Amino acid sequence: MFTDSPSNNSAIGRPFHCFVIAGMLAFGCSTLAAVEPQSSASPEAVAAKPNVLVISIDDLNDWVGCLGGHPQVQTPNMDALAARGTVFTNAHCQSPLCNPSRTSVMTGLRPTTTGVYGLSPWFRTLPEFKDWVTLPQYFQQHGYRTITGGKTYHDAYPPRDQRETGVEFDVWGYHGSGGNPKPAKKIINMQGGHPLMDWGVFPEHDSQQDDYKVATWACEQLDALAQEESSQPFMLFCGFRRPHVPCFAPQKWFDLYPEESLLMPPILRGDRDDTPLFSWYLHWQLPEPRLSWLEQAGEDRSLVRAYLASTSFVDGMVGRVLAELKAQGLDQNTVVVLWSDHGYHLGEKEISGKNTLWDRSTRVPMIIAGPNLPAGARSSQPAELLDIYPTLVDLCDLPARTGLEGHTLRPQLERANAPRQWPAITSHNQGNHAIRTDRWRFIRYADGSEELYDMQEDPNEWDNLASHTEFREVKADLAKWLPQIDRPLAPGSAHRVLTWDGKTAVWEGEPIDPDALER
């Protein structure tokens, strides 16, 4: 369980929750598909389609009430959405980093297929994906009006001069990203710290935050869409940035988590002693601080509190949008999908941030609700963000989209625990992959080193079983699901990128000196 006291040299508490996923089959990569033709459906058929609202959240792990990731978290609006739809309790991202994760969601392709692993490049710069039909484009082709605001792709993309062309979306709305106020002086002072690496009580009012403005914009769009006489269905993307750093929120959100009763995540001292050295290479030099710095600076509890406050703040913004959807009478004919691009460490595995292949970094909230779908369902089947594209195509009864690498979740939306054949697969830079089933998490790094965790017995991933001979067959079976396509870094790749030539690991262009490891 979570604890309100600092961790010591033994395991603190017991797991707060367990993860359950059933079934797995081999992963197969599809051949890249050509651009599909425009829809020939009649106007009447198009008008009968449901609307789609896609809500994305940045850096939100499973600290959501309906997922049980933290016993104190207050997220009533996401919980209410889960209560009227299906929450996928073991959904995972395809990459634990913003740009590759969001690229995967929108293209329906794995990072191992596109080669997009870092914060660069924009996938359209790659010749073979220049004309690839993305999720919103496919709906646009089939009669939908597509609208986006806030952070849908990684903030830098598409480039500013390409945003209002009508190519990626019909309407490019309020984006933000540079409009958040900053305190006159950083609240958290890290030597050489990144400008975004800050957290605490700020600003004074919700309305001063970009996410508030994004929610206001989304509500205005819903109001206008409801008033229009057009029968054209819409696909509206609304992207929020919290709890991504800087973890700022007004005082009222921090008041939900009193300092004196704050529970800290479970941490095992020496947890990394049985993990490969290569596991450090995936997050070699990052702006996010190690647990050691947080504790030495006395900021470990303040970060957890700020993350929780930021999560509750963004939940409030989700609530504003969902309330407007209902107020305009659109909720009865709108499929709602809520997801986060990846998880986040708050001290677990001795780090903060993402960029790992453990559950804390890969497990994400994913909730789907809509007309004629069961309410209050919980699916423990393996699910991936990659599945959003084919699922929405299926739910909206569009022609099947060829070439996608995910699979529709419609069977689980109709019967939550309908067996699913595929595990969840997460990759971070070429050669580093995690396979997640109902019982196991298997990780293989580019240098061949491995980790294996029994997630039913050890949901905190404290005991690496990879070297135990009795699990040799388990590892062999799990290794069958490793991606068959494993493309190297795409041209233009930069930022948080790692390569391995069989002898030397190279981080962002510089060879790694293993002796320089800072824990």
Side-chain angles (χ1 to χ4, degrees):
M1 64 176 62
F2 282 64
T3 176
D4 58 2
S5 60
S7 51
N8 53 39
N9 290 325
S10 62
I12 296 177
R14 54 189 175 81
F16 184 73
H17 59 279
C18 292
F19 310 143
V20 184
I21 302 177
M24 65 180 186
L25 278 179
F27 161 72
C29 292
S30 304
T31 302
L32 299 184
V35 176
E36 268 74 359
Q38 295 288 332
S39 172
S40 59
S42 68
E44 293 78 11
V46 171
K49 304 291 186 186
N51 303 309
V52 179
L53 171 61
V54 180
I55 301 174
S56 59
I57 302 176
D58 212 355
D59 285 24
L60 178 60
N61 61 23
D62 65 358
W63 288 14
V64 179
C66 60
L67 289 174
H70 191 291
Q72 293 177 319
V73 71
Q74 298 186 44
T75 53
N77 297 294
M78 285 186 265
D79 296 346
L81 179 63
R84 71 179 187 88
T86 298
V87 57
F88 289 85
T89 60
N90 259 308
H92 296 264
C93 64
Q94 268 46 73
S95 177
L97 187 62
C98 298
N99 185 43
S101 177
R102 291 166 183 270
T103 297
S104 179
V105 171
M106 300 296 275
T107 62
L109 301 174
R110 297 184 182 278
T112 48
T113 297
T114 64
V116 176
Y117 301 103
L119 296 181
S120 296
W122 168 234
F123 77 96
R124 294 286 187 207
T125 63
L126 308 176
E128 60 269 53
F129 303 109
K130 181 177 181 294
D131 297 316
W132 182 261
V133 179
T134 61
L135 171 58
Q137 287 178 324
Y138 194 70
F139 274 71
Q140 185 183 53
Q141 288 183 351
H142 290 86
Y144 277 73
R145 185 181 185 191
T146 59
I147 309 165
T148 187
K151 184 176 180 179
T152 296
Y153 285 106
H154 182 51
D155 265 332
Y157 305 126
R160 290 184 182 277
D161 61 353
Q162 300 175 27
R163 292 179 183 177
E164 298 181 9
T165 61
V167 175
E168 301 298 340
F169 296 90
D170 291 318
V171 178
W172 186 277
Y174 178 78
H175 184 64
S177 79
N180 268 323
K182 297 179 177 62
K185 184 179 180 181
K186 286 187 68 175
I187 299 172
I188 304 299
N189 294 309
M190 294 177 58
Q191 185 175 3
H194 191 283
L196 292 179
M197 203 53 54
D198 202 4
W199 55 87
V201 178
F202 185 83
E204 185 177 359
H205 303 292
D206 287 353
S207 59
Q208 295 171 272
Q209 295 248 48
D210 252 354
D211 280 348
Y212 185 94
K213 298 171 185 177
V214 169
T216 298
W217 169 86
C219 290
E220 291 170 349
Q221 302 309 302
L222 292 170
D223 177 65
L225 290 164
Q227 305 310 316
E228 287 182 359
E229 295 183 2
S230 171
S231 57
Q232 182 183 23
F234 65 81
M235 172 177 264
L236 174 62
F237 285 75
C238 176
F240 295 118
R241 293 183 177 84
R242 293 290 180 262
H244 192 291
V245 290
C247 291
F248 292 152
Q251 183 66 53
K252 66 177 182 179
W253 302 105
F254 279 79
D255 290 343
L256 297 175
Y257 306 101
E259 170 66 28
E260 60 273 15
S261 59
L262 184 69
L263 298 181
M264 296 293 286
I267 294 171
L268 175 67
R269 297 299 174 183
D271 187 14
R272 299 291 287 269
D273 291 349
D274 64 353
T275 64
L277 178 62
F278 211 91
S279 71
W280 287 100
Y281 296 171
L282 268 63
H283 48 90
W284 184 246
Q285 291 181 341
L286 298 178
E288 293 89 351
R290 309 292 200 198
L291 174 64
S292 58
W293 184 92
L294 289 168
E295 292 183 333
Q296 290 168 11
E299 297 292 356
D300 51 331
R301 294 177 67 83
S302 68
L303 176 58
V304 168
R305 190 180 182 210
Y307 188 88
L308 288 167
S310 297
T311 297
S312 290
F313 162 75
V314 80
D315 178 77
M317 302 307 104
V318 169
R320 292 180 62 211
V321 176
L322 294 178
E324 185 66 22
L325 185 76
K326 184 174 183 179
Q328 296 299 334
L330 295 169
D331 58 317
Q332 297 302 310
N333 191 39
T334 300
V335 176
V336 180
V337 180
L338 182 145
W339 56 279
S340 168
D341 53 1
H342 46 70
Y344 205 83
H345 290 254
L346 276 304
E348 306 94 332
K349 293 292 181 184
E350 302 181 22
I351 60 171
S352 66
K354 50 257 189 183
N355 298 98
T356 79
L357 293 176
W358 297 301
D359 253 43
R360 172 55 61 232
S361 195
T362 74
R363 189 178 183 224
V364 294
M366 185 163 71
I367 304 169
I368 302 177
N372 303 315
L373 294 176
R378 299 175 64 82
S379 177
S380 60
Q381 296 297 297
E384 304 177 282
L385 292 182
L386 194 69
D387 300 326
I388 290 174
Y389 192 156
T391 299
L392 287 175
V393 168
D394 193 357
L395 292 178
C396 295
D397 197 27
L398 303 186
R401 168 72 162 97
T402 58
L404 301 181
E405 295 180 323
H407 306 274
T408 180
L409 293 165
R410 187 165 192 160
Q412 289 69 43
L413 290 169
E414 294 177 344
R415 186 167 62 90
N417 284 316
R420 198 149 200 268
Q421 298 176 316
W422 302 276
I425 305 171
T426 303
S427 301
H428 189 37
N429 289 297
Q430 185 185 29
N432 308 292
H433 313 291
I435 308 298
R436 182 69 161 87
T437 71
D438 61 329
R439 182 174 178 180
W440 305 103
R441 170 170 291 277
F442 173 64
I443 300 172
R444 178 175 289 172
Y445 296 101
D447 69 343
S449 57
E450 297 175 337
E451 295 178 58
L452 178 69
Y453 299 98
D454 184 336
M455 302 302 296
Q456 293 178 359
E457 299 296 326
D458 178 27
N460 291 307
E461 298 167 306
W462 284 341
D463 187 11
N464 179 14
L465 304 173
S467 63
H468 296 211
T469 57
E470 61 265 38
F471 297 111
R472 187 178 302 159
E473 291 186 9
V474 171
K475 290 195 301 178
D477 287 341
L478 292 167
K480 295 175 183 177
W481 319 124
L482 294 169
Q484 299 303 302
I485 297 176
D486 195 3
R487 182 177 175 173
L489 296 177
S493 292
H495 312 300
R496 309 199 183 202
V497 292
L498 172 73
T499 60
W500 170 256
D501 64 4
K503 295 181 180 179
T504 305
V506 177
W507 171 265
E508 296 185 343
E510 296 293 330
I512 289 177
D513 176 5
D515 294 331
L517 173 63
E518 295 182 7
R519 293 178 180 267

